[in-house]
Amino acid sequence: MPEVPEVETVRVGLSRSVVGRTIASVDSLHPRAIRRHPAGPLDLAQRLAGRTVTSAERRGKYLWLPLDGGPECLIGHLGMSGQLLVLPPELPDGPHLRGRLRFTDGGPELRFVDQRTFGGLRTDELVPDPPTTVPSGIAHIARDPLDSHFDDERWITAARKRNTTIKRLLLDQSSISGVGNIYADEALWRAKLHGDRPVNKLSRPVLRTLLAELRGVFGDALRAGGTSFDSLYVNVDGEGGYFERSLNAYGRYGEPCPRCGRPIARMKWMNRSSYFCPSCQRPPRAVAVALG
Ligand SMILES: [Zn+2]
């Protein structure tokens, strides 16, 4: 499943290759891929044809392309396996092609490819979210730490009033968006924090450090083009990422902690797994007892 660095990589690719271009036509090739656009494929095509893409924006794992001449935008949901690929028109269609935007310049087209078809395309209206705008349907999603308008001190103040654990808070999209299981475990490892620590017991400097480490993990993943944990995920040019080789804790059960050498532990966590170093990231007392 793509996480923020992957989606940001796609956004950068889109901003290079489709911004400033005018949409000529839209093909909807699978009903599931436009199920989130209830007015149907013809409506989608009519709304988009003749519009120019003015920028490529992202919040958490959501991507959108604002269009000229109105508050409308095109949202791309990548879902579990969706890809937005910019490809030469002469390249044959792949088996999982679900949608296509052609441009008036006859140049590279935008293809939405999705093997499992959990993702899709739809339009939405932009609403103000000072100092920027956001599609109305995702206005409930918080900014992510790569967003230049993310307010660290405000987040820390709100976080310390929450009666939850730090890992749960990191995965709460209404508090901070775009942090999935992999990035949460990596940032917590870097900050030497156990995910089950209660947030309201963490100091402001500790939470500042955690935000810095989260940005460090995102930054490293961005430079590597994303984790590509899911082999289906590729960026707009079709290349996978290499960040997974540099993960310190996630998926490293039993391997030595790169910092202290003690084996990385794994515990069940909300139908998933948490990976951590039991020495560098001391669990809170109750969890320590459960681990024996
Ligand atoms: Zn360690």
Side-chain angles (χ1 to χ4, degrees), residues 155-170 175 193-204 206-207 210:
W155 181 78
I156 290 168
T157 300
R160 297 183 72 232
K161 292 177 184 156
R162 296 284 300 271
N163 181 25
T164 186
T165 62
I166 184 59
K167 183 164 173 180
R168 277 177 187 259
L169 189 71
L170 288 180
S175 167
L193 273 178
H194 193 281
D196 286 333
R197 297 270 298 273
V199 194
N200 54 20
K201 299 266 169 53
L202 299 176
S203 69
R204 296 186 75 92
V206 163
L207 288 168
L210 180 60

Side-chain angles (χ1 to χ4, degrees), residues 257 260 277 280:
C257 166
C260 74
C277 171
C280 300

